[in-house]
Amino acid sequence: MSSRASSSTTAVLPPVDPPARKRGWGRRSKAPTHISAHGEPMVWLTGGAMSFCLLMIVGLLALIFCQGVSTFWPLPLEHFTLADGTVYLGEVSRRENYVPDAKTLAALPPANAADVKKFLDARSGTAVRTLLRTGNFELTQTHFHWVDDFLIKSQDQRPWDVLFERVNWGRFYGTPVALRVDGKAEGEGTEAAWHAYEKYHDQVRARWHEQTRLERVDSGHVSQTMQNAKLEVVRQGIDHGKSSPEHAAAQAEYDRLQSWATAENTRIAAKIEKLRSENNRYQLLVRAADGREQRLALADIVRAYPANQLSLLGKLAVYGSRWWEFLTDEPREANTEGGVFPAIFGTVVMTLLMTVAVVPFGVLAALYLREYAKAGLVISIVRIAVNNLAGVPSIVFGVFGYGFFCLLVGGTIDQMFFYPSLAEGNKPTFGTGGVLWASLTLALLTLPVVIVATEEALAAVPRSMREGSYACGASKWQTIWHIVLPRALPGMMTGTILAMARGAGEVAPLMLVGAVKIAPSLLVDGVFPYVHAQRAFMHLGFHIYDVGFQSANSEAARPMVYTTTLLLITIVATLNLTAIWLRARLRRQYVSSHF
């Protein structure tokens, strides 16, 4: 009975309720985790960093583009009359807020001091001033003037205020008064003088260009011919003695050329003097804003226009004319005006020579390291050295290039082949800075970029393709040449692009190995051997440094800095786009093909 009662009690136990579920999203509860474990903060952090970098790059490019493009746009000429009667005429360069100092306030005319004090008190002591480009350096000894707004009595734009851009002395602002030919008035009065200027200016400038060509090309050819003949005499004297027949023949040839050079120089000088005399007949009398008159030789005026009368098409014509001059002409006024064609030519030639020098050596070095060298301590040290070479300051490469290429290699070449120049006047030919040594120095600087990029490209070629080639009976070199290199070409082109971008923008080493402020001759001309790799050259990067930080007229040079920077970026981008286009073609031709 007792056992039956016990089993009956166990059977009637009430059912146990399941544990109540917690309210929420219907999910099982989890242990609390830190927010960083979910990854979202890192997404925002990395995305924000990338956006900030892009913003800085876009902002920098936008600033350079806006400032560079607007440099050559013709501005109106403003005529300012101040309270003390001073008159200024020029272009508004910029305006800014400032706090006048006690010296400025003490120099105010007594009649205006009270009004100015009341004006400044209403603006909490802050005033606005305008930087005016006034030119007329030979009259005022300055190119710019600051004009305080509280001193301006009147401001207007007058139709016959004309801007003259000149070969020397910078810009001149004034009103044409008369044009005189042989001292006789050809056009009296503003409009008549301007029409006479338009009538004669083109023909006068054509004679000026012909005169410049005779002075530089024809006279330069005669001087170079005589210099070569003289060096040949010295060479024969050193090689065979001054009493030898060879020396006598060289001396006779020099004497013959001397007679020819005398006749040729006389002819050239006569033509130059005729052109100069003809141009000197034309003088334009211009009145400055302060009433003083100045004679301007028509041959020295590069461009002139009445800025306040220009229509939109007229402004576009001036704008296009200035850009054409900038891209195709030589610099003037200490590089602050004119063109930069020698710098464009020097930059492109140096970059191409550097690319030709660095790519073969970089590819061969990477090929040996990846395909032939056995891993070990020596190869590890070489790879570490290559990577560390990329971090060496560029000026160190400049010092090395000057010591090794210019003094050692160039000096040795001079002693072996150009010793007459050393004997004649201790003038080195290759033993000084030049475009060849500059290219090799930058090739050394960019060599690690090419090696690392090529090694990565070679490592990316699948091993199965090499094994398939070996299975077909190909040798190692045949496998490298026909299988590995074609598929690594796009990666190698990437290294070339990076090297070109790095080399084209370098300035510090070029200051030691060949870049100069003004190069009298281009690297290519009509004198044998036609290509002169030993010559110093102009470079856009060095040009920017020189104009921006070495120019005496920094305000006038600042727009040219932006424009030249924009041009340098455009050239580098063009070279890179060309290389990218070539890389895309190689990728389609080789990588997409099946083994």
Side-chain angles (χ1 to χ4, degrees), residues 100-113 116-117 120 150-151:
D101 55 16
K103 183 178 179 181
T104 303
L105 298 177
L108 292 173
N112 304 102
V116 172
K117 187 174 183 307
L120 293 177
F150 55 79
L151 291 179

Side-chain angles (χ1 to χ4, degrees), residues 250-261:
Q251 185 65 48
E253 177 65 14
Y254 177 78
D255 293 339
R256 185 187 69 80
L257 288 176
Q258 184 70 47
S259 301
W260 166 81

Side-chain angles (χ1 to χ4, degrees), residues 46-67:
T46 53
M50 186 194 69
S51 302
F52 184 69
C53 293
L54 288 177
L55 186 64
M56 287 195 298
I57 294 173
V58 172
L60 175 64
L61 293 178
L63 174 65
I64 294 173
F65 179 80
C66 294
Q67 295 286 339

